[in-house]
Each structure stands twice: as structure tokens, then as C-alpha cells.
Amino acid sequence: MFLKYYIREIKHLNQSVTYKRLKFIFYFYRDFPLFRLSSYFLFTLATQLIPIIVTYIYGTYSNGQVGLAITVLAMPINLIGQSISQVYYNEIAKIKNYNTNELTNLL
């Protein structure tokens, strides 16, 4: 049942994806990788640099302990951040549909 639905959806997507449309989408969102990629790279570097430095200075045993501590400390922060972002995006979508002036004030 699910497989039949999935194959039907894939066939529908193949009809709607064209080279011209892909070119337009890449052009329309051309600034997205430019701004997001650099911030994501710096964030990843900052989070991964600590275990590398700890391994270099103190060894692998200490690196395991630091990695475990970072993971345990990051869990509640990630949970709260994801919850807030879901609520925020939901509210922005509602405001966008009804009142664009309020949306500019919110951002």
C-alpha cells in the first residue's frame, strides 16, 4: 500500500521537476549558501575544536570524558532550542498569512 503511494508520488515529482525550474530555484536562493554556509562552518569548527585540543593536550581518555560531558550538557539546550524554533516558525507563518506589518515589527 505504502509503496504504491510512494511510487505514484515519485512519478508526480518527476513531472514537476524541470531544468528551467531548477535553474530558477538555484538563482532565487543563491544567497542562502553564501550566508548560511559560513556560519554553519564556524559553528561546527567551534564545537569540534574543543575535543581535538583536549585529545592533543590530555589524551584520548580525557577526550572521551569531555565528549560525554559536552553531549550531556547539549541535550537540554538542543531540546529547548528546537521547541522554541518550532513555536517561532509557527507564529511567523500565522502572522505572514494575516498581517505582514506585524511580521516586519517582529523580525
Side-chain angles (χ1 to χ4, degrees), residues 33-92:
L34 183 68
F35 296 115
R36 295 285 268 184
L37 188 63
S38 60
S39 66
Y40 185 73
F41 177 74
L42 289 174
F43 174 74
T44 304
L45 181 68
T47 56
Q48 298 300 320
L49 199 60
I50 294 171
I52 292 171
I53 292 172
V54 168
T55 302
Y56 181 73
I57 295 173
Y58 298 108
T60 56
Y61 178 76
S62 296
N63 182 34
Q65 297 298 320
V66 169
L68 182 62
I70 290 172
T71 303
V72 168
L73 290 175
M75 281 183 195
I77 294 169
N78 289 337
L79 180 67
I80 292 169
Q82 287 177 355
S83 300
I84 290 173
S85 70
Q86 288 174 356
V87 171
Y88 183 72
Y89 289 137
N90 185 18
E91 291 298 319
I92 291 229

